[in-house]
Amino acid sequence: MLGFLGLGHIDDLYSAVPAALRLAGGLDLAPGLAEADVLDTLADLAGANRAADLVCFAGGGAYDHDIPAVTRALAGRSEFVTAYTPYQPEVAQGVLQALFEFQTMLCRLTGLEISNASLYDGASACVEAVNLAVAQAGRQTVWVSQGVHPHWRQAIATFAVGTGHRVIDVSLSGGVTAWPPIDSAAGDAPAALLVQTPNFLGCLEDLSAARAVADEHGALLLVASDPVSAGLLRTPGELGADVVVGEGQTLGMSLGFGGPYLGLFTCRASLVRRLPGRLVGETVDTEGRRAYVTTLRAREQDIRREKASSNVCTNQTLMAVTAAIQLSWLGTQGLRELALRCARGTRYCREALVGIDGVEPAASAPVLREFAVRSPVPAPVLIERLADEGFLAGLAVGEGFEGSEYEGCLVVAVTERRTRAQIDAFATAFEKAVR
Amino acid sequence: MSSQPRSTDNPDVSPDAAPGSTPGAGRAVSAPLIGRGHEPTIFEFSHSGRRSWSFRETGLPEWSAEELVPDAFRREEPVALAEVSERDLVAHFTRLSHRQYSVDLGAYPLGSCTMKYNPKVCDEVAGLPGLTRVHPGAPASLTQGWLELLIRLEETLCAITGMAAATLQPAAGAAGELTGLLLMRAWHEQAGRQRRRVIIPDSAHGTNPASVTLGGYEVTTVPSDARGCVDLAALRAVLDEDVAGIMLTNPNTLGLFEEDIVEMAAAVHDVGGLLYYDGANLNAILGVTRPGDMGFDIVHMNLHKTFATPHGGGGPGSGPVAVSPRLVPFLPGPRPVRQVAGAPGDTYGWSMPPQSIGRVHGWHGNALVLARAYAYILANGGDGLRRVADAAVLNANWLRQRISGTYDIPFDRPSMHEFVASAASLKRRTGLRALDVAKRLLEEGFHSPTVYFPLIVDEALMIEPTETESPQTLEELAAALERIAEAAGEEGGLDAAHAAPRTTPVSRVDEARAARQLIPTYDARP
């Protein structure tokens, strides 16, 4: 091949690279390993993660749900795994149709008309929702409930530096958002209110009340919601949300140390021209057959360039396909049953823990799939102690709640995988750990 | 939105039947393999009461929904989803997979996307229970293996790019870009510099200008010269102390190495600006040269391109950002760090950089993608990565030379890992456009190149064969491109090209109608 190019040596390929920039001696990395050695190396690292063997009571947007063999097998099909973005729809109908089905399911879950084909995660979905609302309302201020996952709030703050948005934190009372009284609201009218339900402490937020506050200000209502909880709860769309975002990890993705997860983004039809990310639509081919294609492409960065309101290109398509498979495995009754089982375990566990001397609920508001408790021992210490007993006890309430009454509390999540025996053992260990 | 899924005419079956064994589950026959029929949606297979799901026996009290959820919050009817047997579920998504082209099926010379083969050992790594079963909120003491993996990957990526430290949080290239621009902003602002502009070449990816806007900057576009590189004189003309930095892809989107990079770096640094490296084309220079040595301050990488993590039909990606020493204090956090040697406690922990721009991801990035990339780098090693670049560049140059008699090569000189051809002459001669070439290539059994990009080339066909395609595959690809060009000049050839593709699961798709009569869900169908 070199001869065909009239070159004598492989280095001649790089004649355009100035000699001073050439890396003498190559990369300072070890030589390549055989496959078996690669696996051994990674297995050793994996073996050093004690958390993998603990019975998991941690949540906060990452839950220990069952992932059936069929979801793993179908989502692992290499045609889905090794395809690129569907730029040539004639050879990408598989991914496009799976995304169309995903969009349909998300709209049914959230009660809105439009779903995109995914964003990176719950945090990025919140950031994009804020950007959409600011552009739509023509105002720079956004009210964000303290009940929104603290990491997501931090991501909103990070990106607001670039866009110049003003983010106002709205604190909690009794575990739920205490929106400021209308007449006391100082400063600019907000473009939007962002609230999460169930919130980071596990409490159910009153969306109708949030809608009323939004209406007083002419603001959009942005709701972060959990797709599993949707099995039992009224849809945010029905309760007045303009945009519903969320973390879709619960729909067939492993805990995986935080990724890849799935950013969910749905909105009202009237907002579709501001939708971030890709949208798949149904159309026909030249023979009139049903076909799918990414559509309203003029919104996207590769066409609008510096005028685009989002820079998203690669998203989390494979995770959206996974979610479509998982939701089809669950079906109408399975999703309800899943939510019900999470709620049953949560109530049982909450009653067991608050029955322990010195342990009390951190909030009085109703909960669904997780809850926060206050104990005489700070949560980080509790987590370390219970790890020695074989449990990942939950998440510590810390960053994002500094100085609040919730700081130092423990958020405990219970999924359908937790048995009565496990919860009983957890409660026994908990009692010992708080002494 | 609460409409029930449509049912098929299949007979009733017991909802209690074991998964996978549902009697009478329909449509196992007449599967439309790559070809002519349409595949119904999952909702059209739905039959009330049919199911796949099963959950373990927990022994917990069976409280009802009414007992668990207050009335004001509780939905009356369950969410309408597809109700299918496991057998039907598998058949449907397997048939969908048969309607999807992928790297595992064949060559995918999609320029700028680096669609190389994804080694299977990395799939196995990403499935290790010790990695998948770790909650991201677990404390450092319980996740030492993950922390070590992330630190080792960070150090490796820094060695490859010649940078000091990196964040692994950004979930994709565009997220990396915006992270990099926020780093640029933080660095200027801590020194009290208010700057408004970021320079981008006219050949840049669309994500660059979009990211600049979201970073709070204005775009200044600098033209390319006759050789396809940034016009150095034009660059100098737009540089002043209002410039925060420049975003460059090197090799650029024409596949050409920016030969004046050292002079460009000096010019930008002279006005106090920073250089941002868009790593979309890093594959071309692995082990050959490093962005850090060229003078770049901020570098994003696309692990789903250069380091072979599969693209998943459009993600997940991963877009780590590496920086020079002066930008390290601003990196997103918390960052995985080695603890002080000899100190008691864990070997690895988390640390928030003193002037951090904050979190850019909900957790620690697309961790399992990071693990795959680390496994790929281990398997290749330093020597192997250099061979990756060699083969990628060799393949691109061979193919460029091979088809240069048939297609225009607007910048006809040695390229790096990709090159841009043009169908402009062909179009003048026969009417065949780049889009038609792309669609005809699908009929030939290949994925098409990237078309109509970069914007500065008329009828562009951006071709990146990658290092994993054999000389035999490249010859087949070249022969197909020749056949396409030849056929266009024959009687009826243009009509045939306009009718392409005819051998794919669907023929050319009506994109205009999709936008005009928006059907974004199954429930929105007329």
Side-chain angles (χ1 to χ4, degrees):
Chain A
M1 288 174 86
L2 280 173
F4 180 70
L5 297 171
L7 300 177
H9 191 273
I10 196 82
D11 290 345
D12 298 343
L13 287 170
Y14 305 106
S15 56
V17 180
L21 295 181
R22 306 263 187 99
L23 200 56
L27 291 169
D28 186 17
L29 294 176
L33 296 179
E35 175 167 326
D37 294 325
V38 172
L39 278 174
D40 280 357
T41 304
L42 271 297
D44 282 350
L45 290 170
N49 291 317
R50 285 175 59 206
D53 301 321
L54 302 180
V55 177
C56 185
F57 286 91
Y63 300 89
D64 181 31
H65 285 295
D66 277 323
I67 303 175
V70 65
T71 297
R72 278 198 300 269
L74 290 176
R77 286 195 64 89
S78 78
E79 298 89 339
F80 296 136
V81 173
T82 71
Y84 196 72
T85 302
Y87 289 140
Q88 297 294 338
E90 296 85 0
V91 291
Q93 288 297 300
V95 164
L96 286 163
Q97 183 170 336
L99 290 174
F100 181 79
E101 294 177 4
F102 165 80
Q103 290 172 186
T104 303
M105 294 173 200
L106 260 290
C107 286
R108 290 181 181 179
L109 284 177
T110 59
L112 292 173
E113 295 92 5
I114 304 288
S115 166
N116 78 3
S118 79
L119 292 167
Y120 309 133
D121 64 355
S124 70
C126 287
V127 171
E128 294 285 356
V130 165
N131 290 351
L132 175 147
V134 166
Q136 176 72 12
R139 302 176 190 163
Q140 293 293 308
T141 303
V142 180
W143 290 2
V144 177
S145 159
Q146 197 180 26
V148 174
H149 194 298
H151 295 176
W152 303 359
R153 283 189 277 135
Q154 287 178 25
I156 291 169
T158 299
F159 292 107
V161 171
T163 50
H165 303 158
R166 207 159 73 93
V167 181
I168 308 284
D169 286 330
V170 180
S171 54
L172 305 181
S173 174
V176 294
T177 313
W179 302 107
I182 303 300
D183 47 4
S184 76
D188 311 332
L193 281 58
L194 172 61
V195 62
Q196 182 180 341
T197 186
N199 67 21
F200 184 69
L201 302 177
C203 298
L204 298 176
E205 293 275 1
D206 183 347
L207 294 184
S208 300
R211 177 72 258 176
V213 176
D215 284 341
E216 289 292 338
H217 296 284
L220 272 70
L221 179 61
L222 318 176
V223 176
S225 78
D226 162 52
V228 166
S229 303
L232 284 176
L233 299 180
R234 292 172 71 190
T235 64
E238 174 190 351
L239 296 167
D242 297 296
V243 176
V244 177
V245 296
E247 175 51 70
Q249 180 269 341
T250 46
L251 301 177
M253 278 133 269
S254 70
L255 289 168
F257 206 47
Y261 286 3
L262 170 63
L264 307 175
F265 196 106
T266 59
C267 67
R268 293 193 181 286
S270 57
L271 297 170
V272 68
R273 303 261 161 203
R274 297 192 189 277
L275 184 75
R278 299 203 175 92
L279 175 67
V280 175
E282 185 186 313
T283 183
V284 293
D285 73 356
T286 51
E287 294 173 39
R289 291 176 297 194
R290 207 193 280 183
Y292 304 91
V293 67
T294 55
T295 193
L296 301 187
R297 293 266 295 120
R299 299 165 296 115
E300 291 187 50
Q301 45 76 29
D302 55 326
I303 296 176
R304 277 186 75 77
R305 297 179 76 86
E306 66 266 24
K307 294 188 182 66
S309 55
S310 167
N311 70 341
V312 171
C313 182
T314 286
N315 49 41
Q316 307 272 126
T317 298
L318 185 62
M319 281 57 237
V321 173
T322 305
I325 295 164
Q326 179 77 0
L327 282 168
S328 301
W329 178 79
L330 288 167
T332 303
Q333 296 304 329
L335 180 68
R336 184 178 182 283
E337 184 70 20
L338 172 60
L340 198 52
R341 283 166 178 253
C342 293
R344 285 173 183 154
T346 299
R347 168 168 294 184
Y348 184 81
C349 186
R350 187 169 186 256
E351 287 179 357
L353 296 193
V354 302
I356 297 169
D357 251 7
V359 178
E360 56 184 52
S364 52
V367 299
L368 190 73
R369 67 179 330 211
E370 59 196 317
F371 60 94
V373 289
R374 196 176 284 116
S375 86
V377 180
V381 179
L382 209 48
I383 291 168
E384 295 287 352
R385 287 182 187 172
L386 283 161
D388 292 337
E389 305 298 321
F391 301 98
L392 184 59
L395 295 181
V397 181
E399 52 180 337
F401 287 90
E402 292 85 353
S404 82
E405 61 180 296
Y406 309 105
E407 189 178 8
C409 289
L410 181 75
V411 183
V412 178
V414 187
T415 69
E416 82 286 2
R417 285 169 53 76
R418 296 289 80 85
T419 63
R420 181 178 196 148
Q422 285 175 326
I423 298 170
D424 288 343
F426 179 54
T428 304
F430 204 102
E431 186 163 18
K432 206 175 96 192
V434 297
R435 258 193 241 125
Chain B
M1 287 296 115
S2 62
S3 65
Q4 288 292 322
R6 297 181 195 182
S7 292
T8 63
D9 296 322
N10 291 321
D12 280 324
V13 292
S14 161
D16 297 325
S21 65
T22 319
R27 291 200 64 97
V29 293
S30 71
L33 292 180
I34 300 276
R36 316 303 292 165
H38 85 261
E39 170 67 9
T41 63
I42 189 75
F43 311 108
E44 290 158 271
F45 294 113
S46 183
H47 187 81
S48 182
R50 193 166 287 163
R51 72 184 234 195
S52 302
W53 62 271
S54 66
F55 298 114
R56 69 179 46 175
E57 187 50 59
T58 60
L60 287 163
E62 299 201 345
W63 288 302
S64 69
E66 290 72 17
E67 290 170 288
L68 291 163
V69 188
D71 291 353
F73 296 97
R74 198 180 59 248
R75 64 182 305 136
E76 296 299 322
E77 294 293 320
V79 182
L81 294 168
E83 295 182 84
V84 293
S85 66
E86 180 171 321
R87 198 268 170 280
D88 283 356
L89 177 60
V90 168
H92 173 63
F93 280 97
T94 303
R95 287 191 298 252
L96 286 186
S97 76
H98 289 178
R99 297 163 72 79
Q100 181 65 44
Y101 194 79
S102 65
V103 169
D104 275 10
L105 282 172
Y108 217 122
L110 194 63
S112 203
C113 302
T114 315
M115 292 300 284
K116 62 172 74 175
Y117 168 70
N118 313 132
K120 296 300 169 194
V121 63
C122 301
D123 291 357
E124 202 153 314
V125 164
L128 288 170
L131 298 180
T132 60
R133 295 177 50 188
V134 178
H135 193 286
S141 60
L142 306 177
T143 57
Q144 289 286 295
W146 259 117
L147 285 163
E148 183 176 355
L149 191 163
L150 297 183
I151 289 167
R152 284 205 217 165
L153 176 62
E154 178 188 339
E155 290 170 351
T156 304
L157 295 176
C158 286
I160 291 168
T161 54
M163 308 305 285
T167 174
L168 306 177
Q169 283 190 29
E177 290 177 21
L178 185 47
T179 300
L181 286 155
L182 293 174
L183 287 166
M184 196 181 276
R185 170 173 283 280
W187 184 74
H188 283 301
E189 287 186 349
Q190 58 88 33
R193 288 186 296 269
Q194 298 297 326
R195 298 196 167 198
R196 286 181 306 171
R197 297 190 293 131
V198 170
I199 297 173
I200 292 179
D202 57 4
S203 61
H205 298 110
T207 47
N208 287 181
S211 299
V212 166
T213 301
L214 287 168
Y217 289 112
E218 293 164 23
V219 174
T220 298
T221 304
V222 62
S224 303
D225 63 17
R227 286 172 53 75
C229 291
V230 172
D231 186 324
L232 189 57
L235 172 63
R236 289 202 165 111
V238 297
L239 281 175
D240 60 28
E241 297 203 341
D242 196 29
V243 170
I246 182 170
M247 296 181 85
L248 282 174
T249 310
N250 193 19
N252 64 26
T253 60
L254 294 166
L256 302 173
F257 194 85
E258 295 280 355
E259 297 176 9
D260 294 332
I261 184 59
V262 173
E263 292 76 12
M264 288 159 64
V268 173
H269 285 152
D270 278 350
V271 296
L274 296 177
L275 274 84
Y276 180 96
Y277 182 89
D278 179 327
N281 295 342
L282 184 66
N283 208 48
I285 60 166
L286 291 171
V288 176
T289 180
R290 306 186 303 176
D293 301 332
M294 299 177 208
F296 284 95
D297 303 280
I298 305 168
V299 176
H300 98 251
M301 289 150 272
N302 297 83
L303 302 190
H304 48 289
K305 296 181 181 180
T306 313
F307 300 106
T309 68
H311 205 282
S318 179
V321 175
V323 296
S324 56
R326 55 185 171 168
L327 288 157
V328 175
F330 304 97
L331 280 173
R335 295 182 57 212
V337 291
R338 294 177 194 276
Q339 306 289 34
V340 181
D346 302 318
T347 313
Y348 308 97
W350 294 102
S351 170
M352 201 69 177
Q355 293 161 284
S356 176
I357 62 167
R359 281 182 192 274
V360 298
H361 187 268
W363 295 102
H364 320 303
N366 278 341
L368 291 172
V369 179
L370 297 168
R372 285 174 184 269
Y374 184 57
Y376 175 82
I377 292 170
L378 282 183
N380 279 280
D383 50 340
L385 291 177
R386 169 62 191 251
R387 286 196 298 275
V388 163
D390 288 348
V393 175
L394 183 60
N395 277 354
N397 278 288
W398 186 90
L399 190 59
R400 176 181 54 78
Q401 185 113 329
R402 175 72 178 71
I403 68 166
S404 60
T406 313
Y407 293 85
D408 305 329
I409 310 289
F411 301 95
D412 197 7
R413 59 191 170 96
S415 65
M416 299 293 280
H417 67 301
E418 69 186 2
F419 65 96
V420 177
S422 166
S425 297
L426 199 59
K427 183 180 162 193
R428 270 195 304 280
R429 213 168 54 240
T430 66
L432 195 73
R433 299 165 300 159
L435 181 69
D436 303 321
V437 175
K439 299 303 184 192
R440 281 281 290 112
L441 209 49
L442 301 179
E443 289 185 328
E444 296 277 353
F446 291 97
H447 199 278
S448 72
T450 298
V451 289
Y452 301 106
F453 185 81
L455 307 176
I456 56 174
V457 173
D458 193 25
E459 298 295 326
L461 292 158
M462 187 191 209
I463 302 175
E464 180 179 11
T466 83
E467 74 277 8
T468 54
E469 298 310 334
S470 69
Q472 291 72 29
T473 302
L474 297 185
E475 174 55 37
E476 291 285 340
L477 177 58
L481 284 165
E482 278 180 351
R483 277 196 300 277
I484 290 167
E486 269 168 36
E490 292 165 5
E491 181 72 27
L494 192 60
D495 289 340
H498 286 161
R502 291 151 303 184
T503 55
T504 46
V506 296
S507 61
R508 213 174 281 202
V509 169
D510 190 343
E511 300 189 20
R513 172 173 156 150
R516 202 172 55 243
Q517 302 170 21
L518 182 65
I519 306 176
T521 64
Y522 180 72
D523 300 325
R525 303 184 82 221

